[in-house]
Amino acid sequence: MPKITPKKVVFISSSLPRKCGIATFTSDLITSTTMAAKGEFEPLVVAMQSGGQKYDDPVKFEIRENVKSDYICAADYINFSHVDVVCVQHEFGIFGGEAGAYLSLLLKRLKAPIITTLHTVMDEPEAAFYKSLVDVCNASHTVITMNERGVDMLRDTYKISRKKIKLIAHGIPDIPFVDSNYYKHQFGLEDRRTILTFGLLNKNKGIEVMLKAMPAIIKADPTVMYIVLGMTHPNVLKLEGESYRFGLQQMVKDLGLEEHVIFHNRFVNDQELNNFLCAADIYVTPYHSPKQLTSGTLSFAVGTGKAVVSTPYWAAEELLADGRGRLVPFGDSKQIAKAIVDILTSDSLFYSLRRRAYDYGRSRTWPKIGQAYWKLFNAKRLPVRIAAKSTLSAAETISHIEVPEPSLEHLVKLTDSTGLFQHAIFTIPNREYGYCTDDNARGVIAMTRYYAQYPEQEALKLLDIYLSFIIHSQNSDGSVRNMMNFDRSWFKREAKSDAFGRVLWAFGTVMAKPPTPLYLSIIKDCFDRSVEHIQKQLPKGMAYSILGMCDYLKQFPGASDIKRQLELAADGLITQFEENHYPDWLWFEDALTYDNAVLPYAMFVAGMACENKKYIAIAEKTCEFLLANTFNGKHFSFIGCNGWYERGGSRASFDQQPIDATGMVMMLRAAYDATQKDRFLTLQRKAFDWFLGRNDLHIPLYDFRTKGCNDGLMSDGVNMNQGAESTLSFLLSLLAVVESFAIIGKTKDGKEVLLDQTDLIEKKPLKKTPIKSILPEASGKEAAKDQIEKLT
C-alpha cells in the first residue's frame, strides 16, 4: 500500500503551559482531531508568547505578542513549512496591535487556506475591532463560530457571507454520567452539597453576587460548600494584582461564610478539573455582562451533566435553553439563591436538569468536535491561497508612537545600479565622491531590518544592490576595500577605515534575518572568508565585527570558531578599556570621537551572547560615562566632529553627526535588553528625538518633505546636504524605536509607563523647512537665532 502523507495543519494560538482558555481549547482540539484522523494528521503550533513560557512539541514557532516583525517571520516560517491548512484561534486579546490587528500582517502573507475559529464576536464593535475582525474573516476560507447568535452577528453586523460561516460548538469532555458523592471523598467533602464556579478570575465573573446569595442558601441547607476554582487572570494580575480575590475573601469573612466557601487559587489541568466537576452538585456562572458568545467553563459543566444556574449571557442562553439549566437576572443574589435552593430541595428538578444537560452535551463531546474539524481540514476542495500581491506599507503597520513613517524615498534617489552614493548636494546625488563600502554596508543593515518589519519589494531591491556592492568590496583573502570612484574603479590608496567591521555587521544582520533562506549560503561563505582578519581591526572596527558575529550565532549558535573569535574580540575591547580608563575617564580610548556608542553597544550584545557578566559590567560603566558626556538632562548633545573631545581637553559642541544619534539609540536598546532598566528605553526615545528637534538648536534634522536627513547640526543651523550616512542613520534609529515601542508597557489608563508623555513629539509635524548653515543670509549667531525662533 502507498504510504499516506499526513495532513499538515498549523495552529496559530496561545498554547499550554500558558494559563488561558484559548490554550486549553487548542490542546483539546489537537488531541481530538488526532484521534479522528487516525494517523493522517500532523499538527504544528505557532504559539503566541506572553510571559516567557517554555514550550514542547507540537509548538514549532513563537510570536512575541507586540513585535510586528515576528508576525511576518511567522508567515514566512509557515510558508516554508509546506503546510496544508492554517487553523487560527482568534481572540482579540492574544494578538498585538490595536484590537489584535497585527494578526492580519501574518494572514495576508500565507499561501495555505485559513480556517479561523472566532472565540469572541462583538455585537456593537468599535471601529478598530470591526476592521480587525473583518480583515481576519476576509483572509479566511472558513470562519467558525460556536453558536447561532454568532452566525447571525457575522452575517448581519460584519457582512460576512453565510457560505463562509460554519457552526461548530465548543468541545466538551467525554465524561460518564456519575454520582457526585463518589468523587467528594477526594476533597474531604463527604456529606456536603457542593456548588462550583471555575475559570480565571476577573470582575466580570460576578463571584460577589453568588457570595451574597450564600446566607440564604445555607439557611435552607447548612451542608452547602461553595468552591471557587481558578487563579486570577494573568492580565488582571499584571494590572490590579490580587485585589479582586482579596476583596472576595474579605466578603466571605464579613458574611461569616468561612466554613462554606473555599478558594482554590491555581490553574488546574484537565484531569483535576474533571474531578472537581464530578464532585460538584450544582455549577454556577453569575457573570455580569450578557456579551459573551462562548464559555468553555459552562460547556464543560453542561457536558458533565451538572445542574446549572447562570445569568443569561449569550452562551448561557443557548446552552441552557429547553430546561437544561436555570437562568436568573444579572446581579440578582436573591434569584440566584432561590434557584439554587429549589434545586437542592427537589430531587426531581435536580436530576431533570442534570439529565437534559448531559444528553445535550453528547452531541458536543470533543471526539465529535474533533471529527467536525478533521472533516474541514481534510476537505478535498480547499483552495490554495494566493497571498496578496500588494506589500504591507509602513503606514499600515507602524505603531502609534508619533514618529514619521519609515520611507525609502530619499534612499532610492541616492542609489543607482552600482550602489549608494556617499554624498549629496542638498538632495541631489553628488557623483564626484562616488561610493563607499561603509555606506553600502549600513544600507544592507537598514534594508534587512526594514524588510523584516515592512516586506516591501522596494526594500528587497535596494538590499540586493547594496549587498552586491559589499560582496564585490571583499578581496579574495577576505579583506575589504572601501572607496570606489563613480567610474567603478577602486581607490588605489585609501586611509585605514572601519569598513571591514561594518561589512561583517552587515553580513551578520542578513544571516540573522534573511529575507529568504537562499541568502544564507552566499552570505555565510563571505563571512567565513573574512574571519581571519577580525583581530587586526581598530576598536570600532572590532565592535562592528562583534555585532556581526553575534548575529551569525543567532543563525548558527553552534559555530565554535565564531564563538572563539567573538570572545577574543570582546576581550580585546576589555583590554582597551583597562589600558585607557581613569577614575574620571571610563572609556576605551583617550578621546571621544565619532560613533562612540558602538563600543558599549558591542559589549552589551557580546555580554548577552556569551552570558558574560564582566562584558555587561564594562558596557554599563562606559554607557553611563558616555551618557554623562552627551545627555544634559533634557536632550542629547553629541560630541562635535569639529575638534572631538580628548581626555583633559575641551569638548567640541559642533558639528554633531547623525551617526552618533543612531549609535546611541541602538546602544540604549541593548542596554535595556541586558539590564532590564526602564530608563534606558526612555533615554532611547530622547536620543531619537535629537533628529526631530530635541537638540542644542531645537531644529529638526529630519526633512519631512524629502524623507531624507540633514548631514549635521552646525553651530548656526543644519547642513542641508542629505547624504547616505545621515539618511541611513535616521532610518536605522526609527526602525529601532518602532521595535522598542512594542515592549513598552501600558497602564490601565493607556499611558506609557516608560516614556514621559511630555517628552513625546506632538502630533502636529515639526517645521519641514531645514536650515542651511552655509547660506550667507543664514550664517552667524543672530541669523541662527532668528531661524530658531521661526521654527519654535
Side-chain angles (χ1 to χ4, degrees), residues 410 413-414 421-434 439 709 711 719-727 772:
H410 189 55
K413 182 182 286 190
L414 293 177
F421 289 106
Q422 285 191 77
H423 297 296
I425 304 170
F426 301 107
T427 62
I428 302 169
N430 188 341
R431 299 184 181 188
E432 179 182 354
Y433 295 98
D439 287 335
C709 181
D711 279 352
N719 183 335
M720 282 184 64
N721 296 334
Q722 297 175 13
E725 181 177 294
S726 56
T727 297
K772 175 61 172 152

Side-chain angles (χ1 to χ4, degrees), residues 12 17 31 69 80 172 191 262 273 302 378 382 392 528 565 579 605 620 623 642 659 696 700 704 741 744 765 771:
I12 301 174
T31 300
S69 59
F80 292 146
I172 293 172
D191 302 322
I262 299 174
L273 175 57
V302 169
N378 205 35
L382 279 177
L392 302 172
D528 292 345
Q565 292 290 341
E579 292 177 352
V605 173
E620 193 165 5
C623 165
N642 189 16
I659 192 173
D696 287 340
F704 290 83
F741 183 78
I744 294 175
I771 297 173

Side-chain angles (χ1 to χ4, degrees), residues 97-146:
E98 188 176 12
Y102 288 175
L103 176 63
S104 293
L105 305 181
L106 192 167
L107 300 185
K108 288 178 181 179
R109 293 174 61 87
L110 295 179
K111 297 176 182 177
I114 300 166
I115 296 173
T116 298
T117 302
L118 301 176
H119 290 261
T120 295
V121 181
M122 301 176 178
D123 62 336
E124 297 177 348
E126 296 177 4
F129 287 88
Y130 178 89
K131 183 180 186 304
S132 180
L133 191 64
V134 168
D135 285 347
V136 169
C137 291
N138 287 342
S140 303
H141 171 264
T142 301
V143 178
I144 297 171
T145 184
M146 299 187 195

Side-chain angles (χ1 to χ4, degrees), residues 256-544:
L257 302 176
E258 292 93 333
E259 300 299 320
H260 299 275
V261 178
I262 299 174
F263 289 91
H264 282 281
N265 182 15
R266 59 195 180 91
F267 187 85
V268 295
N269 60 34
D270 285 351
Q271 184 57 53
E272 290 176 301
L273 175 57
N274 292 342
N275 290 339
F276 273 103
L277 279 169
C278 290
D281 295 309
I282 298 174
Y283 184 77
V284 180
T285 53
Y287 297 174
H288 285 303
S289 172
K291 298 183 178 182
Q292 183 166 330
L293 196 61
T294 62
S295 172
T297 60
L298 183 60
S299 296
F300 292 174
V302 169
T304 51
K306 298 294 103 178
V308 179
V309 176
S310 176
T311 50
Y313 55 95
W314 295 338
E317 284 183 317
E318 184 167 316
L319 282 166
L320 302 182
D322 301 325
R324 294 188 291 270
R326 284 290 183 90
L327 295 174
V328 297
F330 292 104
D332 195 330
S333 298
K334 290 183 179 179
Q335 288 299 314
I336 288 180
K338 182 179 185 306
I340 291 175
V341 169
D342 287 347
I343 295 169
L344 291 174
T345 56
S346 173
D347 285 347
S348 61
L349 176 60
F350 175 66
Y351 285 109
S352 173
L353 292 174
R354 290 198 63 193
R355 176 179 53 78
R356 290 176 182 175
Y358 188 78
D359 289 347
Y360 181 72
R362 294 314 84 208
S363 64
R364 296 164 170 247
T365 59
W366 271 118
K368 288 186 169 61
I369 300 304
Q371 290 170 4
Y373 272 90
W374 175 238
K375 185 176 180 180
L376 278 181
F377 297 157
N378 205 35
K380 294 181 178 179
R381 295 185 180 181
L382 279 177
V384 175
R385 225 174 144 260
I386 299 176
K389 294 289 184 184
S390 59
T391 55
L392 302 172
S393 70
E396 290 177 307
T397 57
I398 191 168
S399 302
H400 301 292
I401 53 176
E402 298 171 350
V403 295
E405 295 172 8
S407 172
L408 305 180
E409 183 177 334
H410 189 55
L411 276 182
V412 171
K413 182 182 286 190
L414 293 177
T415 304
D416 67 4
S417 60
T418 298
L420 188 60
F421 289 106
Q422 285 191 77
H423 297 296
I425 304 170
F426 301 107
T427 62
I428 302 169
N430 188 341
R431 299 184 181 188
E432 179 182 354
Y433 295 98
Y435 320 85
C436 73
T437 301
D438 277 331
D439 287 335
N440 282 274
R442 292 187 190 100
V444 169
I445 296 166
M447 290 306 95
T448 303
R449 293 185 174 187
Y450 185 100
Y451 190 82
Q453 294 194 57
Y454 314 111
E456 300 171 6
Q457 287 304 307
E458 192 71 61
L460 202 56
K461 179 181 176 182
L462 293 175
L463 172 61
D464 287 348
I465 292 172
Y466 305 152
L467 196 53
S468 175
F469 187 99
I470 68 171
I471 290 173
H472 181 56
S473 77
Q474 193 179 41
N475 296 310
S476 58
D477 67 349
S479 59
V480 167
R481 296 166 288 191
N482 190 28
M483 307 299 293
M484 177 186 278
N485 295 305
F486 178 64
D487 65 2
R488 296 187 179 181
S489 63
W490 292 100
F491 280 28
K492 293 182 179 179
R493 295 179 182 177
E494 34 177 62
K496 192 170 181 63
S497 72
D498 296 319
F500 175 91
R502 288 197 179 95
V503 166
L504 285 196
W505 185 11
F507 285 156
T509 301
V510 177
M511 291 176 71
K513 296 182 178 181
T516 74
L518 297 175
Y519 284 81
L520 283 176
S521 61
I522 300 170
I523 302 306
K524 181 180 180 298
D525 287 345
C526 293
F527 197 113
D528 292 345
R529 190 179 304 131
S530 292
V531 167
E532 64 180 271
H533 299 284
I534 289 174
Q535 305 307 323
K536 304 172 186 177
Q537 304 306 304
L538 295 172
K540 289 191 176 73
M542 195 76 77
Y544 299 131

